[in-house]
Amino acid sequence: MNDNKILIVDGMALLFRAYFAQSYSSRRLEDGTPTNAIYGFIQYLFDAVNTFNPTHVLCCWDMGSKTFRTELYSDYKANRPDAPEDLVPQFSLVKDIVAALQIPNIGIEGYEADDCIGTVSQKMSKYGHVYILTGDQDMLQLVTERIHVVIMKKGRSNYAVYDLDFLKEDKGIHPFQVVEMKGLTGDTSDNYPGVKGIGEKTALKLLAEYNSIDGILHNLENLPKSVKAKIEADLDMLHLSRTLARIHTDVPVECSLEECSWEVNLDTATTLFEKYRLTSLLKMIG
């Protein structure tokens, strides 16, 4: 049972990465529908399958920009530009391709793909080792002895695979401290500020000494005056930033191990891959 290797794909992370890597490509269908991002997405997916040899694969997606986080903080991700016009029609098409490969598409309105990934990864880790394929460093908070986060680096088949040891070696923190770091420093890509004036270096030093934000707050009197003043001035944002950073692992999504078994029906896949002019990619798994 524990020999299972479950690959959980961060769908949007892969699709956006594929789009920008393939932006030079004019790959389109006869009706003009662009397919460059889909082509790159499938390449990345098959590269990962060939690298990690999973027994099971599933894919998680964002289901719109409105989530419980935007309700908590209206500026959350407000700095993000709209998706490129020629990427938009590929959102639904790529899910059709994923489904043709008999990979479950998982997403739920009101939550981010991160929360679905967090929930499913914990459930699936009972059955084997989980590998989360993403470009999102926030996922590092999910690392356990049985959950590994695979960060895609520049180029194809170039990964940093984080387990507990490598996370401590590379980042100097434990998984739970990923959230504590975000609370202190904020996250510019998600557009929440943390504590104004506290950078990564200071945050790492504070967490090394006091372990957590709660530990820091219990020792405010021992902090340098300037650091103490910054934290006290931004206490509400400190707590809010930590809340925004924390991935929920109790989202109401279901996916059984059997549903995500990696067994491609080449006949079914070939029909759809021919329709979208992607058949050259099937040889990567054939």
Side-chain angles (χ1 to χ4, degrees):
M1 180 173 72
N2 290 337
D3 290 339
N4 292 316
K5 288 178 78 173
I6 301 121
L7 180 68
I8 301 180
V9 178
D10 183 347
M12 284 301 185
L14 244 68
L15 190 64
F16 271 88
R17 177 179 287 263
Y19 173 80
F20 290 110
Q22 294 279 336
S23 58
Y24 62 87
S25 169
S26 58
R27 186 178 289 274
R28 291 178 181 271
L29 302 180
E30 286 182 5
D31 65 3
T33 303
T35 57
N36 56 336
I38 295 172
Y39 187 88
F41 177 97
I42 299 300
Q43 276 188 322
Y44 285 139
L45 173 62
F46 288 170
D47 282 339
V49 165
N50 290 332
T51 299
F52 297 100
N53 297 309
T55 55
H56 300 77
V57 182
L58 59 102
C59 191
C60 294
W61 300 93
D62 291 327
M63 302 293 285
S65 58
K66 299 295 181 188
T67 69
F68 72 92
R69 290 184 181 87
T70 54
E71 290 178 11
L72 285 172
Y73 184 56
S74 59
D75 285 338
Y76 181 74
K77 290 190 177 180
N79 57 336
R80 301 263 179 114
D82 291 336
E85 196 174 316
D86 58 340
L87 177 57
V88 173
Q90 300 184 68
F91 286 151
S92 58
L93 296 183
V94 74
K95 291 181 185 177
D96 292 343
I97 298 285
V98 168
L101 293 168
Q102 296 176 292
I103 298 172
N105 286 303
I106 294 175
I108 184 167
E109 288 188 8
Y111 294 94
E112 294 182 47
D114 296 24
D115 304 304
C116 295
I117 290 168
T119 301
V120 175
S121 64
Q122 287 200 358
K123 289 180 179 179
M124 291 295 177
S125 66
K126 292 181 292 186
Y127 306 113
H129 279 267
V130 172
Y131 292 80
I132 298 169
L133 182 67
T134 185
D136 186 354
Q137 304 266 341
D138 289 354
M139 298 287 188
L140 296 175
Q141 65 187 270
L142 300 174
V143 171
T144 67
E145 285 187 2
R146 296 167 71 87
I147 299 174
H148 316 271
V149 173
V150 180
I151 299 291
M152 301 175 72
K153 299 173 77 176
K154 192 171 182 179
R156 285 173 53 193
S157 300
N158 186 15
Y159 311 108
V161 182
Y162 285 88
D163 57 14
L164 290 169
D165 290 340
F166 185 54
L167 178 59
K168 191 73 173 77
E169 176 191 329
D170 190 53
K171 304 291 186 184
I173 52 177
H174 301 289
F176 80 91
Q177 291 175 319
V178 173
V179 178
E180 309 296 296
M181 281 287 292
K182 298 275 186 181
L184 289 162
T185 66
D187 187 320
T188 53
S189 68
D190 286 342
N191 203 43
Y192 57 87
V195 177
K196 190 174 180 181
I198 299 266
E200 186 174 317
K201 189 176 178 182
T202 301
L204 280 170
K205 188 176 178 183
L206 289 169
L207 291 176
E209 190 161 354
Y210 301 111
N211 200 43
S212 67
I213 286 171
D214 292 341
I216 294 165
L217 295 178
H218 285 139
N219 288 277
L220 276 178
E221 299 308 317
N222 300 325
L223 301 183
K225 284 184 180 178
S226 62
V227 175
K228 178 176 180 283
K230 287 171 185 174
I231 289 173
E232 287 180 331
D234 256 341
L235 211 51
D236 287 345
M237 186 52 73
L238 171 66
H239 289 299
L240 178 58
S241 294
R242 178 167 60 168
T243 298
L244 294 171
R246 185 176 290 115
I247 292 174
H248 282 218
T249 56
D250 56 356
V251 174
V253 290
E254 293 296 332
C255 182
S256 70
L257 190 66
E258 293 73 25
E259 281 177 84
C260 54
S261 182
W262 175 246
E263 294 175 30
V264 177
N265 182 323
L266 280 176
D267 290 336
T268 305
T270 298
T271 302
L272 204 61
F273 273 56
E274 284 176 348
K275 178 181 176 182
Y276 293 131
R277 299 179 174 181
L278 301 169
T279 46
S280 63
L281 295 176
L282 281 176
K283 67 179 182 292
M284 292 178 68
I285 57 163

